[in-house]
Amino acid sequence: MKPFKLIIALLLLPFRLLIWVFEGIFWLLALNYRAADYLTQIMWASMTPDPDHIVCPKGHRIETYGTFQCEACGFIYEGNVFQCRNPECKATTPHIRCPECGLSVSNPYRWNQ
């Protein structure tokens, strides 16, 4: 009975190796896709030409650095409009309103924009 099991194992060995190779290739591609997506998002967020200004859909320049009041906690701070400087709050703003036309402008530093 042992030679029969050995023959079966030897016949199944190439099939198992082939499955292992395909699974390895699949996981390498999946991990590379996730890494590439993560790096693309970081590069996209860092490509703001002027970090102190953003542009609304109608082309108006909006100051992103100055004195602001957090809508979540009421803290008045000097810094970036997109993150509260209160150490107890640290709220982030998903979008701001253009002071000239009133259109919403998304935060370019958030993921999946």
Side-chain angles (χ1 to χ4, degrees):
M1 198 58 131
K2 283 188 179 182
F4 182 70
K5 287 185 180 181
L6 181 62
I7 292 172
I8 297 281
L10 288 175
L11 289 175
L12 290 177
L13 183 63
F15 180 70
R16 289 181 180 169
L17 286 174
L18 187 64
I19 289 176
W20 183 79
V21 167
F22 281 127
E23 188 174 349
I25 291 171
F26 169 78
W27 283 112
L28 283 175
L29 291 175
L31 291 176
N32 281 335
Y33 172 76
R34 289 181 186 155
D37 186 43
Y38 177 71
L39 291 174
T40 303
Q41 289 176 1
I42 289 174
M43 288 180 354
W44 184 257
S46 67
M47 287 173 48
T48 307
D50 187 359
D52 293 336
H53 297 86
I54 58 173
V55 180
C56 87
K58 289 190 175 180
H60 304 123
R61 290 173 57 96
I62 303 169
E63 293 278 338
T64 59
Y65 185 84
T67 303
F68 302 101
Q69 181 173 7
C70 177
E71 292 184 15
C73 68
F75 186 75
I76 298 173
Y77 63 96
E78 184 175 352
N80 194 310
V81 67
F82 295 115
Q83 184 168 16
C84 177
R85 298 280 304 253
N86 184 355
E88 297 173 356
C89 177
K90 294 286 187 190
T92 58
T93 306
H95 54 82
I96 59 173
R97 229 178 60 153
C98 176
E100 291 189 40
C101 62
L103 290 176
S104 293
V105 180
S106 295
N107 181 348
Y109 303 108
R110 288 186 54 142
W111 297 105
N112 299 322
Q113 288 295 318

